[in-house]
Amino acid sequence: RDTEAVDNLEELVLQDPDPIVRGQAAEALGQIRISSSIPVLKQAAADTNRNVKHRAELAIESFEWPDPGTEEVAVGYKSLDESKFNLVQIGKKAPDFNLRDTKGKSWRLSEAVTRSNYVVLIWIFADWCGVCQREFHDLIELEQKFKDAGVVVATLECHDRYRSDRMVAGRDLWWPHLVDAAGAVGAVYGVAPMEFTVHDEWINRPSTIIIDSSGIVRFAYYGTYWGDRPTIDETLEMIESGNFEFEHPNRRK
């Protein structure tokens, strides 16, 4: 959010030969939010690299939001406490947390636990993730089965409120999509918010956590890429059977 960097960023987004640099520069301009950068971002939105193009389009659209939540992310990064990273253990109490969803509604894990047989937490990537979109589709299709089993579901995204809202735009979800700014909760849960780069963007591990009605972690799975965690159907099957053993056949070493 350093306004003095705007001139250099505008030069990078238009002239740097590396698309990763151009994409990151476009995102940074969207976070700094100086309106004079919009024409430059519009030029970047015509970039031949689809990832740069998408990042520039997102940056332009973020200007339409009075408060896209980038300050929350900045504060979140500054307040990260490494002593609290990776606290989740199977068979132990799940660390409580409180986050807002994309509609601004507060959601607390301990409250969800008291009104369910199980709580399922699913960390996803971003709006460009086809696998995540498919998981959302499957959750919608299986709504009644999850409710019949007394399962509360929450998806989480390690972005600001604007980017998280882009993931759910146009959908009427039956579960909350929680904004995990700076991946602070993800860090506690072992999700590693900056584990990989995909489409020139830092992303978290694709992770699924299942917590029982006593608040005990029964299942914690951290994928090695976007396609090797249990599907939504497999997640429901584990809950219905009570068997929480799972290893994806294509898990990477």
Side-chain angles (χ1 to χ4, degrees):
R1 298 181 63 100
D2 183 0
T3 58
E4 294 183 1
V6 168
D7 289 344
N8 288 337
L9 287 168
E10 289 180 346
E11 182 177 349
L12 289 174
V13 80
L14 295 179
Q15 299 181 20
D16 198 276
D18 190 334
I20 294 177
V21 174
R22 298 200 302 274
Q24 292 285 355
E27 180 175 331
L29 288 171
Q31 292 169 337
I32 295 171
R33 289 168 62 83
I34 301 296
S35 59
S36 60
S37 296
I38 293 177
V40 174
L41 288 168
K42 287 183 176 178
Q43 291 183 61
D47 198 286
T48 55
N49 182 282
R50 65 174 185 173
N51 299 326
V52 176
K53 176 182 172 67
H54 185 59
R55 301 284 280 282
E57 290 171 343
L58 288 171
I60 293 167
E61 291 179 13
S62 72
F63 277 83
E64 299 175 4
W65 280 57
D67 178 15
T70 52
E71 182 62 31
E72 291 176 72
V73 175
V75 171
Y77 274 121
K78 291 177 182 178
S79 62
L80 288 175
D81 181 354
E82 291 186 51
S83 70
K84 296 181 180 178
F85 290 3
N86 304 312
L87 293 182
V88 165
Q89 296 183 50
I90 294 174
K92 301 292 186 180
K93 198 85 169 180
D96 196 18
F97 65 85
N98 182 60
L99 291 174
R100 286 189 295 165
D101 66 15
T102 50
K103 298 178 181 178
K105 185 177 179 180
S106 179
W107 191 93
R108 182 174 291 278
L109 174 63
S110 56
E111 293 177 357
V113 165
T114 62
R115 55 185 172 84
S116 65
N117 294 328
Y118 289 95
V119 174
V120 176
L121 305 177
I122 302 173
W123 270 266
I124 61 93
F125 292 154
D127 66 296
W128 45 256
C129 174
V131 174
C132 304
Q133 298 286 354
R134 179 66 198 181
E135 288 173 332
F136 271 46
H137 175 270
D138 291 345
L139 279 170
I140 292 170
E141 289 289 310
L142 293 170
E143 174 183 2
Q144 196 56 52
K145 287 189 176 181
F146 273 99
K147 289 182 175 179
D148 289 346
V151 179
V152 169
V153 175
T155 52
L156 302 92
E157 184 172 347
C158 300
H159 278 128
D160 58 34
R161 280 182 282 114
Y162 162 68
R163 288 292 304 276
S164 299
D165 186 79
R166 274 294 303 250
M167 180 66 199
V168 302
R171 288 188 171 110
D172 184 19
L173 305 182
W174 59 270
W175 71 91
H177 186 54
L178 304 178
V179 182
D180 186 8
V185 174
V188 173
Y189 272 72
V191 171
M194 299 181 73
E195 182 73 6
F196 306 113
T197 51
V198 177
H199 296 311
D200 308 339
E201 181 174 4
W202 288 103
I203 57 172
N204 52 274
R205 292 175 74 90
S207 306
T208 300
I209 311 291
I210 300 176
I211 301 161
D212 68 19
S213 58
S214 298
I216 303 300
V217 177
R218 299 293 301 278
F219 179 79
Y221 193 89
Y222 307 100
T224 58
Y225 71 105
W226 53 89
D228 72 335
R229 68 167 161 198
T231 65
I232 302 303
D233 288 275
E234 289 170 332
T235 301
L236 182 59
E237 287 171 6
M238 283 192 290
I239 290 171
E240 291 177 335
S241 68
N243 180 9
F244 296 98
E245 297 295 327
F246 178 86
E247 181 79 11
H248 196 281
N250 297 324
R251 184 174 177 82
R252 297 176 181 177
K253 304 300 182 183

